[in-house]
Amino acid sequence: STAADLLGLMNYMEGLRTITVLETIMVASDENVTVTDTEFSNVTVRLYLPRRAPDSLKRAMLYFHGGGWCLGDAGMKSYDLMSRRISNELNAVVVSVNYRLAPEHRFPIPFEDVYSVTKYFLQSKVLFQYGVDPTRVCVAGDSAGGNLAAAVAQQLLEDPEIKTKLKAQVLIYPALQALDLDLPSYRDNENKPVLTKNLMVRFWSEYFTSDPSLREAMTSNKHVPAESGHLFQFVNWSHLLPAEMRKAHVYKGPTYGSAELAHKFPGFLDPRASPLLASDTQLRRLPPTYILTCEHDVLRDDGVMYAQRLRAAGVQVTHDHAQDAFHGALMFILWPFDLAVGHRLFNRYVEWVNENL
């Protein structure tokens, strides 16, 4: 779709978006789960309610899909299948959120959508309506959705109106920072399948603006101004990554860019877009956390560094690292052949949720 983009026929993201549309299925309930499309706080959600006779209050998961903030839909086959399985196997209410997407709706709109849905759902009267135990609610998401889940969990701690505390957060190969796009994982996996460095830079920049100057600066990793240099301590891989991930890579420290970009597009320095920028004091209050990272993934080091920082802050963290997997591995649980890795990782994540929610 890059050629189509150059010809002006089709925006690159619109090209990718056609795939989303082809993968999206209509709402359909089954014998185990009632599925409906509805709105929470004026945001569309796909709601999964287990049909089991309620002997006690249920658990609940708020799920945010991936797709670089530009693509994806709660109704895509793989997301629908995963939500159904979690709802049925864990007897849980699943709220899968169709937040508005960039480039039409840039940061902070996707974040604000998932945040307002979460806040709405956490009200006592809404939890009561769906028979949910207020002490057993988690947020979860993959890729850009993992970014949104991490940001929501952090922001809830700062919100005086929220009385219900999350029981857990589940971050599946999350994107967690837009400061350093030259981490060892970006270098090692620059051209690996599914998510290349160029595509991730494109997603990040589109989240904030269509102005190509941000994308160019991000590509050369010269987008952060010197006045924000103190933030690099939170993403300094030279001490946040284990030796086997640093390999022979040498940490050189940041190369600063012009202050103008950060003034025009301050989003990339905002913890609601880059949750790794939260202070240790904030991290300390977060709930038990599950993080899945994949070896062959530009986003690998984001998740690894967050796991390291959360542990150091005293948060209970389970970090599963899949040596044999690419970004997006969970999406392959639907393929006609049994792609064992996707099933294995999904089962492991469901098991953790079952034990910790």
Side-chain angles (χ1 to χ4, degrees), residues 164-208:
T164 310
K165 298 259 188 288
L166 292 177
K167 177 81 184 287
Q169 61 173 341
V170 176
L171 313 176
I172 310 287
Y173 31 78
L176 295 170
Q177 58 86 34
L179 247 75
D180 189 350
L181 303 178
D182 188 36
L183 304 169
S185 59
Y186 274 92
R187 297 175 192 174
D188 294 344
N189 302 301
E190 184 173 1
N191 295 306
K192 292 271 172 80
V194 187
L195 187 62
T196 61
K197 175 182 174 171
N198 278 345
L199 181 54
M200 192 61 224
V201 166
R202 182 82 187 237
F203 282 142
W204 269 124
S205 61
E206 289 282 353
Y207 193 25
F208 306 116

Side-chain angles (χ1 to χ4, degrees), residues 46-110:
R46 188 162 281 197
L47 189 60
Y48 297 80
L49 302 173
R51 293 194 175 193
R52 246 184 266 178
D55 49 352
S56 60
L57 291 174
K58 295 186 279 285
R59 307 183 261 198
M61 171 185 281
L62 293 130
Y63 194 87
F64 314 136
H65 68 75
W69 308 279
C70 297
L71 312 167
D73 191 283
M76 285 172 73
K77 281 183 204 149
S78 35
Y79 289 124
D80 183 70
L81 178 71
M82 290 192 272
S83 298
R84 266 173 217 276
R85 271 195 56 187
I86 285 168
S87 181
N88 180 37
E89 289 175 29
L90 306 187
N91 196 30
V93 173
V94 178
V95 181
S96 193
V97 185
N98 265 327
Y99 52 93
R100 287 171 290 172
L101 298 171
E104 296 83 358
H105 304 283
R106 300 191 194 280
F107 175 82
I109 291 172

